[in-house]
């Protein structure tokens, strides 16, 4: 692996680590900032993805929609309290075209509710399109394809 | 199974106080499966559009029994109760030989069904086509083994359920006693099914699935409770999709088991009279990206008002509950079926199938998909339904025999209303449930 490529992978892994930390530390206002202004964030069940069915669990098409989601998550959607822990695998860099990098990584998100043990909440992979901006690497698109056949009741916080 | 002794213990009159044990008693739940899901009721299994081609199948559930919905050749007219034959069959996923749940693929295409254990092979309609060693194995002049001479292959097919298809919605029943689907649904509900489905080809947009730790009836109650969205779902209130002052009508069938909540959205913002004291209301809430609520009226929304012949009605929301396990949602441009699959007295799976119409423009399809963000296990206005159902079940569990829910908004009666400040639909469902369950 060229040192340039190695560096790129390290940068993407760092981006993922920062992304996970923002969510697990409940800094939800920071979450849209990992995306470009017209960035896309999609959470889709594997069965829909594999069969080419367009429905997603969450499909946001701009940073603005992500801000609206954060408002819903923090202000309007009633849910029992929980926190998450993301474990993200090293990224596989799959393609690089100009400033656009395509990468994938696996994730597992654990959920812990007050007074309860931790449980496996959502497992899948990130399919990412990443661009380099003046502020650093940003997601032009993050598609979370989850294997988990059943959502454990509801999914509130971003994956 | 012996009926539990305790079932006659519903002591209060009417159906406005539902005892907690109706949600927590494991024996009672077994009786619900027998009397309701495997009894004389039509249960939803899927959409015709999910299996478009000959041999297409998908796994589905009737109660806790897994079944296969499959597209077979049509039989000549007059041979079946439904005429013309839809070609859709529903068979139980349980081999007639040793009881194996033989089909493991959630969907696919098959020429026949073969049990992996001993290769019993079934036609798409569930008839047994053949089995190995039926006539024994020859050993010289001798024939060893084989099935008895009187073994009749016709008597050993898969369980074939009765099937009825209405406007692309597929229902099945284990019972010979269930009335026709049209009678079962009744003339009060039918115009609202016609409005969405009649004469239209559906397209499948996809699925969302959630597992909710609560009794299955709580989901029906949630949709039969028209005023909670104005309180629990802040999002709805703020954008006028649901508020206690909007034009609404509660319709139910003659037996009180099915219902339609019909409503028209208002323009959003604050109406001081109905948002006063509603602590969840967010007066200053606006969207950064309005595409999430890009509602465009569709021509089919307007129909002749079934209650006022000669005048039109244009609801933006119709929520149809078909007892026992189907909810059909029209919320502005978002359309879905929501299927309740019970998994014991304290848990159910909730399967959302979003659909559109074959003549939708690409823009309308995108709109339906965007508005899907409002619904489902992560939806702005329905994730919290699953959460409060879980909390309800938690509350029931921590109390003994004497606890009961109180459903007396709008009185204790079970009639239809022209407003939403009522729990009449919940009461009417339990009045029916009590009759079926003999409690």
């Amino acid at each position: 692996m060229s040192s340039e490529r190695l560096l790129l992978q390290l940068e993407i892994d760092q981006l993922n680590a920062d992304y996970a930390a923002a969510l697990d530390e409940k800094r939800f206002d920071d979450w849209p900032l990992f995306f470009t202004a017209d960035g896309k964030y999609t959470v889709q069940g594997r069965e829909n993805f594999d069969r080419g069915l367009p429905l997603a669990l969450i499909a946001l098409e701009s940073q603005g929609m992500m801000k609206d989601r954060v408002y819903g998550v923090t202000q309007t959607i009633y849910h029992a309290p929980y926190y998450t822990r993301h474990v993200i695998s090293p990224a596989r860099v799959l393609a690089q075209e100009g400033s656009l990098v395509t990468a994938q990584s696996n994730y597992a998100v654990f959920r812990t509710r007050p007074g309860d043990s931790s449980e496996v909440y959502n497992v899948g992979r990130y399919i990412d399109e990443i661009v380099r901006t003046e502020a650093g690497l940003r997601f032009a698109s993050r598609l979370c394809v989850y294997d988990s056949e059943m959502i454990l009741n509801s999914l509130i916080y971003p994956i | 199974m012996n009926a539990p002794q305790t079932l006659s213990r519903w002591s209060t009159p009417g159906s406005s106080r539902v005892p907690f044990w109706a949600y927590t008693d494991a024996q009672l739940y077994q009786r619900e499966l027998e009397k309701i899901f495997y009894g004389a009721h039509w249960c939803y299994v899927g959409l015709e559009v999910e299996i478009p081609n000959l041999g297409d199948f998908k796994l589905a559930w009737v109660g806790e029994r897994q079944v296969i919905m499959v597209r077979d050749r049509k039989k000549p007219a007059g041979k079946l109760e439904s005429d013309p034959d839809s070609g859709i069959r529903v068979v139980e996923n349980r081999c007639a030989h040793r009881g194996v749940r033989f089909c493991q693929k959630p969907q696919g295409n098959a020429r026949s069904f073969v049990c992996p254990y001993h290769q019993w092979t079934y036609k798409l309609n569930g008839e047994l086509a053949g089995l190995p060693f039926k006539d024994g194995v020859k050993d010289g002049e001798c024939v060893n083994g084989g099935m008895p001479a009187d073994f009749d292959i016709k008597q050993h097919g898969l369980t074939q359920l009765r099937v009825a298809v209405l406007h692309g919605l597929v229902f099945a029943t284990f019972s010979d006693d269930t009335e026709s689907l049209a009678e079962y649904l009744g003339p009060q509900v039918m115009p609202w099914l016609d409005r969405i489905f009649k004469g239209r080809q559906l397209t499948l947009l996809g699925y969302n699935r959630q597992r909710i730790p609560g009794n299955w009836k709580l989901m029906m109650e949630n949709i039969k409770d028209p005023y909670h969205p104005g309180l629990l779902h802040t999002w709805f209130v703020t954008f006028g999709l649901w508020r206690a002052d909007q034009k609404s009508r509660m319709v139910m069938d003659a037996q009180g088991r099915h219902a339609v909540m019909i409503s028209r959205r208002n323009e959003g913002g604050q109406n001081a009279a109905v948002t006063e004291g509603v602590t969840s209301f967010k007066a200053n809430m606006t969207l950064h990206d309005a595409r999430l609520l890009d509602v465009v009226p569709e021509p089919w929304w307007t129909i002749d008002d079934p209650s006022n012949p000669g005048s039109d009605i244009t609801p933006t929301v119709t929520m149809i509950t078909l007892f026992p396990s189907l909810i059909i949602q029209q919320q502005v441009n978002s359309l879905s079926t929501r299927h309740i699959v019970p998994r014991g007295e304290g848990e159910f799976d909730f399967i959302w199938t979003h659909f559109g119409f074959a003549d939708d423009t690409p823009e309308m399809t995108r709109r339906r998909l965007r508005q899907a963000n409002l619904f489902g296990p992560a939806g702005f206005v329905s994730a919290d339904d699953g959460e409060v159902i879980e909390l309800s079940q938690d509350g029931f569990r921590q109390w003994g025999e004497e606890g009961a829910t109180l459903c007396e908004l709008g009185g204790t009666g079970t009639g239809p209303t022209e407003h939403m400040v009522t729990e009449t639909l919940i009461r009417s469902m339990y009045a029916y449930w009590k009759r079926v369950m003999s409690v």
Side-chain angles (χ1 to χ4, degrees):
Chain A
M1 193 183 286
S2 71
S3 57
E4 202 177 317
R5 183 66 177 261
L6 197 61
L7 199 62
L8 177 63
Q9 192 191 316
L10 276 174
E11 279 185 285
I12 294 173
D13 287 343
Q14 191 58 52
L15 177 69
N16 280 332
D18 291 342
Y19 177 97
L23 294 179
D24 294 345
E25 292 164 15
K26 295 196 170 186
R27 289 184 279 112
F28 296 118
D29 287 338
D30 291 350
W31 170 67
L33 305 177
F34 287 90
F35 294 80
T36 60
D38 60 351
K40 295 185 178 20
Y41 174 76
T42 313
V43 183
Q44 189 177 38
R46 182 179 181 146
E47 71 178 322
N48 292 334
F49 180 80
D50 286 350
R51 293 176 62 187
L53 295 169
L55 185 75
L57 185 66
I58 301 174
L60 307 176
E61 297 167 78
S62 67
Q63 228 174 29
M65 273 193 204
M66 289 177 219
K67 288 179 186 168
D68 293 333
R69 178 72 195 180
V70 169
Y71 191 75
V73 161
T74 56
Q75 304 295 322
T76 77
I77 306 177
Y78 183 79
H79 63 94
Y82 72 98
Y83 51 83
T84 60
R85 181 72 52 205
H86 285 63
V87 178
I88 304 177
S89 78
R92 294 164 61 218
V93 177
L94 298 178
Q96 206 176 348
E97 257 180 75
S99 65
L100 185 75
V101 179
T102 307
Q104 284 197 26
S105 42
N106 296 332
Y107 69 80
V109 180
F110 300 88
R111 176 175 77 170
T112 309
R113 301 195 278 196
D116 233 327
S117 55
S118 301
E119 56 195 338
V120 179
Y121 185 48
N122 195 273
V123 171
R125 64 187 148 135
Y126 293 125
I127 301 174
D128 296 325
E129 291 179 354
I130 300 166
V131 292
R132 193 174 293 284
T133 72
E134 284 178 6
L137 295 185
R138 292 288 180 268
F139 296 111
S141 168
R142 164 154 272 190
L143 167 59
C144 317
V145 178
Y146 59 92
D147 297 336
S148 315
E149 291 271 327
M150 286 288 166
I151 299 294
L152 297 181
N153 201 341
S154 67
L155 188 149
I156 311 293
Y157 301 141
I159 288 297
Chain B
M1 186 190 292
N2 292 329
Q5 291 296 311
T6 47
L7 286 185
S8 58
R9 63 190 195 261
W10 189 312
S11 52
T12 52
S15 56
S16 68
R17 305 283 174 107
V18 181
F20 288 166
W21 50 256
Y23 308 92
T24 58
D25 185 313
Q27 269 190 307
L28 178 78
Y29 169 72
Q30 289 304 320
R31 187 146 149 200
E32 284 182 322
L33 289 177
E34 294 298 328
K35 295 256 183 188
I36 296 171
F37 290 92
Y38 313 145
H41 294 85
W42 286 104
C43 291
Y44 173 76
V45 287
L47 299 173
E48 209 175 353
V49 69
E50 294 177 86
I51 49 168
N53 306 306
L54 183 72
D56 283 353
F57 69 86
K58 79 148 202 171
L59 294 183
W61 296 91
V62 174
E64 291 194 3
R65 291 180 183 163
Q66 195 170 57
V67 297
I68 307 169
M69 176 175 88
V70 58
R71 189 176 291 269
D72 191 10
R73 281 176 191 80
K74 292 184 185 185
K75 293 196 170 153
K79 292 268 165 86
L80 287 175
E81 63 178 57
S82 54
D83 189 20
D85 178 20
S86 66
I88 306 245
R89 318 277 173 240
V90 176
V91 295
E92 194 180 355
N93 187 12
R94 181 176 58 88
C95 181
H97 178 214
R98 302 289 295 273
V100 171
R101 190 187 268 177
F102 54 89
C103 183
Q104 293 301 314
K105 284 174 68 176
Q107 48 90 30
N109 186 276
R111 295 177 65 181
S112 59
F113 297 116
V114 183
C115 178
Y117 201 177
H118 304 89
Q119 308 277 309
W120 281 41
T121 300
Y122 301 93
K123 298 177 191 173
L124 295 176
N125 66 9
E127 288 171 10
L128 182 58
L131 58 138
F133 312 127
K134 176 172 164 289
D135 301 320
V137 175
K138 274 200 178 134
D139 178 12
E141 294 299 300
C142 253
V143 176
N144 292 332
M147 297 300 275
D150 63 351
F151 178 79
D152 181 3
I153 208 163
K154 290 191 187 68
Q155 301 299 314
H156 297 280
L158 301 172
T159 314
Q160 296 167 315
L161 283 74
R162 288 170 62 204
V163 177
V165 180
L166 175 76
H167 304 330
L169 297 159
V170 183
F171 296 83
T173 178
F174 283 98
S175 170
D176 292 331
D177 301 328
T178 321
E179 65 265 60
S180 76
L181 181 64
E183 285 173 85
Y184 179 76
L185 297 173
Q188 297 88 351
V189 169
M190 198 60 86
W192 301 101
L193 291 168
D194 290 345
R195 171 175 171 271
I196 299 174
F197 295 100
K198 193 176 185 180
R200 347 245 336 243
Q201 185 62 45
L202 305 187
T203 54
L204 178 64
L205 298 180
Y207 306 95
N208 282 319
R209 298 171 193 270
Q210 60 187 132
R211 179 157 292 165
I212 299 178
N215 183 271
W216 66 275
K217 296 188 293 297
L218 288 168
M219 194 71 246
M220 291 307 252
E221 289 181 42
N222 181 268
I223 303 299
K224 288 172 184 284
D225 162 4
Y227 83 112
H228 86 274
L231 301 167
L232 176 65
H233 307 312
T234 312
W235 230 83
F236 261 165
V237 197
T238 306
F239 296 108
L241 289 171
W242 200 267
R243 215 167 58 188
D245 61 336
Q246 70 202 44
K247 286 271 175 225
S248 298
R249 181 185 298 163
M250 304 299 122
V251 168
M252 65 190 85
D253 71 312
Q255 306 214 49
R257 53 191 175 186
H258 318 303
V260 192
M261 297 194 313
I262 302 148
S263 196
R264 198 175 69 215
R265 81 185 275 226
N266 33 28
E267 290 309 308
Q270 188 160 13
N271 174 329
V274 260
T275 52
E276 188 186 24
V278 180
T279 52
S280 60
F281 181 71
K282 311 281 181 191
N284 53 1
M285 183 170 161
T286 52
L287 288 176
H288 289 92
D289 190 329
R291 288 179 295 178
L292 218 42
L293 268 180
D294 167 34
V295 174
V296 170
E298 301 179 59
W300 59 268
W301 289 6
T302 301
I303 58 166
D304 289 331
D305 188 343
S307 306
N308 303 295
S311 63
D312 285 345
I313 185 169
T314 307
T316 56
V317 178
T318 57
M319 298 295 292
I320 305 172
T321 43
L322 300 183
F323 193 82
S325 54
L326 178 63
I327 296 154
I328 298 169
Q329 166 206 310
Q330 179 229 334
Q331 287 272 13
V332 281
N333 302 114
S334 175
L335 298 159
S336 66
T337 63
R338 310 177 183 182
H339 184 191
I340 298 166
V341 181
R343 296 171 45 88
E345 73 282 1
E347 187 172 78
F348 67 93
D349 287 347
F350 201 34
I351 304 169
W352 302 64
T353 305
H354 284 250
F355 62 89
F357 301 119
D359 58 3
D360 284 344
T361 61
E363 289 72 27
M364 183 55 83
T365 301
R366 203 168 306 131
R367 187 171 294 122
R368 297 197 203 286
L369 291 167
R370 277 190 188 125
Q371 289 176 23
N373 280 294
L374 277 58
F375 307 102
F380 279 104
V381 287
S382 67
D384 17 28
D385 286 326
E387 292 285 316
V388 293
I389 285 173
E390 182 171 358
L391 302 179
S392 296
Q393 190 76 14
D394 287 346
F396 303 156
R397 264 197 217 101
Q398 73 186 34
W399 197 257
E401 278 291 297
E402 304 307 316
T405 69
L406 191 153
C407 318
E408 298 186 351
L409 197 75
T412 55
T414 57
T417 68
E418 291 286 333
H419 62 85
M420 64 163 72
V421 196
T422 179
E423 285 160 337
T424 186
L425 299 181
I426 299 176
R427 292 190 290 271
S428 71
M429 180 177 81
Y430 277 100
Y432 177 75
W433 181 89
K434 281 176 72 176
R435 288 199 296 277
V436 176
M437 296 292 293
S438 321
V439 297

